Amino acid sequence: MLSCDNPPPVTVVLDPGDDLVHTRAALAGHVPEAGRLTVHPTPGTDCVFTLAYDVLAALDKPVPVPGYRRLDPAPAWTLAASWILATGTSHLMLLRAHFLTPHRLGTLLQLRHRTGCRLALVCHTRHVPAPVGRALAGVDHHVAEAAALLPAAQPPTATPPEPATRRPLANRWLNLPALTTLSAFDAATRPCQCTAPMAEDRDFFAPVVPALTEAEVALRLHRAIAHPHLAAQLATAVFTAASVTQLATAHVRDLAPDASTLTLHDD
């Protein structure tokens, strides 16, 4: 399991008045595309699953996630950690942190350790709650006042919101010839140890995907697939035309540091 040996300190934000101004400022700071998440936990539950799904929902992923054992929360937290790393999320602020159970606090701290994100716990209390204090014992952290950390956000304007940009390919099937080979049953081979030639040297050239289709594919992968492994496999297949068997020969070390090339080890 990947981990960050020296994650940033945890920030405990005290908001004793439970001021709407501070909550509005925290929610205004939710900008996923800029790497900043604000999670508003589902009220009335202390379920570890639900908190993981709250984080995934803040990442704009569909929840709940099927396909795993119903009583095992570990996969949901692994998905959350994977997407945080994949999307470059650097800040995670959690509201209503004074209601968190020790178990849920522990999973959040583990998420911080796995991703290196900057965690802020907003407690709507005058002092650091005892469970939060015990969970942070031995963890690098500091306490801040909401008035200093969450300044008043701009009041909502009365102007009507701009209409959403229409997506020409929304709700339509996409013609992706590259995926016609996704289920090809290639013979299983043992990964070679040679220096692989470039695809162009073997007279193979990447499929051409129109810009409009490319944007729609990226949006659907982001909005409709909660499984990062499946999203990565489909995305790679779109621009390589490789089959599942071929993709299975690749390892993390086969991806170039700038993600410009991927080495496959099939014949």
Side-chain angles (χ1 to χ4, degrees):
M1 180 179 70
L2 294 175
S3 63
C4 177
D5 295 331
N6 189 28
V10 177
T11 301
V12 181
V13 183
L14 298 181
D15 177 26
D18 196 1
D19 199 323
L20 176 62
V21 169
H22 299 148
T23 298
R24 182 177 292 161
L27 295 175
H30 176 71
V31 189
E33 57 273 18
R36 307 182 73 90
L37 295 183
T38 299
V39 180
H40 202 295
T42 301
T45 177
D46 59 1
C47 178
V48 178
F49 267 116
T50 305
L51 185 58
Y53 288 160
D54 288 335
V55 175
L56 284 169
L59 287 161
D60 212 9
K61 302 303 171 187
V63 291
V65 183
Y68 297 106
R69 289 181 295 178
R70 191 163 55 90
L71 300 179
D72 184 10
W77 285 104
T78 298
L79 293 178
S82 299
W83 281 118
I84 285 174
L85 291 170
T87 57
T89 298
S90 57
H91 291 69
L92 192 156
M93 177 174 289
L94 188 90
L95 297 170
R96 309 285 161 195
H98 57 290
F99 286 133
L100 292 178
T101 60
H103 191 189
R104 296 210 293 175
L105 282 166
T107 54
L108 275 175
L109 292 175
Q110 186 180 30
L111 182 68
R112 162 184 170 265
H113 185 66
R114 296 175 73 174
T115 62
C117 68
R118 191 175 295 276
L119 178 63
L121 303 173
V122 182
C123 299
H124 305 278
T125 54
R126 190 172 300 278
H127 305 287
V128 177
V132 175
R134 287 193 295 267
L136 294 179
V139 176
D140 190 12
H141 69 282
H142 59 266
V143 180
E145 297 292 334
L149 204 63
L150 297 173
Q154 293 294 328
T157 61
T159 57
E162 294 183 3
T165 304
R166 180 178 174 274
R167 289 161 38 212
L169 299 181
N171 302 316
R172 291 177 55 185
W173 288 102
L174 298 180
N175 182 22
L176 296 173
L179 296 187
T180 59
T181 56
L182 184 62
S183 297
F185 293 97
D186 306 286
T189 59
R190 187 173 64 177
C192 64
Q193 302 299 322
C194 64
T195 301
M198 296 299 293
E200 291 83 355
D201 298 335
R202 295 291 183 88
D203 292 326
F204 175 83
F205 298 91
V208 177
V209 182
L212 190 63
T213 303
E214 184 180 90
E216 182 65 22
V217 169
L219 184 65
R220 293 187 190 185
L221 287 173
H222 176 61
R223 295 283 181 87
I225 301 180
H227 301 265
H229 183 272
L230 179 58
Q233 187 178 64
L234 284 173
T236 307
V238 167
F239 68 80
T240 62
S243 68
V244 171
T245 308
Q246 291 174 306
L247 293 174
T249 66
H251 300 277
V252 173
R253 63 180 177 274
D254 294 320
L255 185 67
D258 61 354
S260 61
T261 60
L262 176 69
T263 302
L264 303 178
H265 299 277
D266 66 307
D267 290 335

